[in-house]
Structure formats: structure tokens, C-alpha cells
Amino acid sequence: MQKQGVDALKRFAQMAKNRLRNKVREQDIKASKGKSNFKVIYGAGVDVKSKIITKEDEKLYVKIRDMLDENVDIINPIARLIDYKVYNKMDTLSKERYLFEMVNKYKMYKTKYQQEKIKQAL
């Protein structure tokens, strides 16, 4: 009699575990839709990142490079990079997203700039 209770408990636990796995997979699939054309591969440990550099990104890099060339101690670089014509027309969530994207791009391009400077010095 007690063995049936343990078996039922194991079965319920396995069913709950499977529901959680399926829920996580569904959320991953929903999150990945629209980001790329790659299929999500579970258990493979594959992280695919595609990078498309646009003309706006090139202009931003030139602006960051010029800004860093002019002065190393910049008080608020993000405020200098923001396009306020676009920024002022956005709602609150879009402004926040735009700001975080700008911070990430600034970090990335600053690192790229510093690496280029090191290569030139060698």
C-alpha cells in the first residue's frame, strides 16, 4: 500500500517537472522569435550572435571616437550621444530601452576604440 503512494508521488513529481521544462521551452521560444532566423537547440550550449553594422552605428562609432580623442574625462558621454529629436518623441519604455541600448553601444565602441589605440601603439 505504501509503495503505491510513493509511486504516485514520483509520478506527480515527474509530471510537474515536465510541465516546468515545457513552460521554460515555450518562454525561450517566445523570447527568441523575431530576434533571429536560428532555431533554438536545447542541451547543445550554442550561443549564436549575429552582428549587423548599420550606417547609424558607423556614425555613432565615429562620434564616440572623436569624443574620446578630444577628452578622456567625459562627464556624461551618453547625453552627448543621444539624438534628442528622436528621444523626445518616445514614450517612457522606449526611452528606457533606447538609453540602455546607447549605454551598451557606448561600452562596446569604447572598448573597440581602446583596442585600436593599443594596436596602433604597438
Side-chain angles (χ1 to χ4, degrees):
M1 189 66 145
Q2 194 173 18
K3 183 168 173 67
Q4 290 176 345
V6 171
D7 290 340
L9 183 62
K10 284 184 179 179
R11 190 173 60 247
F12 286 132
Q14 186 63 41
M15 288 175 12
K17 188 175 178 181
N18 290 339
R19 281 194 306 269
L20 285 173
R21 282 184 186 159
N22 290 337
K23 189 70 168 177
V24 169
R25 287 181 184 156
E26 288 173 8
Q27 290 173 348
D28 287 345
I29 290 170
K30 286 179 183 177
S32 68
K33 281 187 179 175
K35 289 185 179 178
S36 65
N37 292 329
F38 301 103
K39 292 184 179 179
V40 178
I41 302 171
Y42 290 97
V46 177
D47 184 23
V48 178
K49 292 183 180 180
S50 62
K51 181 65 180 165
I52 299 173
I53 299 175
T54 62
K55 291 190 184 250
E56 289 82 22
D57 287 340
E58 288 291 328
K59 289 178 184 178
L60 183 66
Y61 176 67
V62 169
K63 194 172 182 180
I64 291 171
R65 187 184 65 208
D66 293 342
M67 188 170 50
L68 292 172
D69 279 339
E70 121 190 357
N71 187 2
V72 178
D73 296 328
I74 301 166
I75 294 174
N76 195 354
I78 305 303
R80 293 174 68 179
L81 297 174
I82 291 176
D83 183 5
Y84 285 101
K85 291 176 185 175
V86 175
Y87 183 78
N88 291 331
K89 294 178 183 177
M90 295 180 177
D91 64 336
T92 306
L93 292 175
S94 298
K95 285 181 180 180
E96 191 173 302
R97 186 178 310 115
Y98 179 78
L99 187 66
F100 284 126
E101 287 175 2
M102 192 61 65
V103 168
N104 288 334
K105 286 181 181 183
Y106 176 73
K107 286 180 184 178
M108 180 178 65
Y109 290 139
K110 183 179 178 183
T111 304
K112 180 180 175 181
Y113 170 80
Q114 290 170 343
Q115 289 172 350
E116 287 178 357
K117 282 291 192 182
I118 290 171
K119 286 180 183 177
Q120 287 177 358
L122 297 178

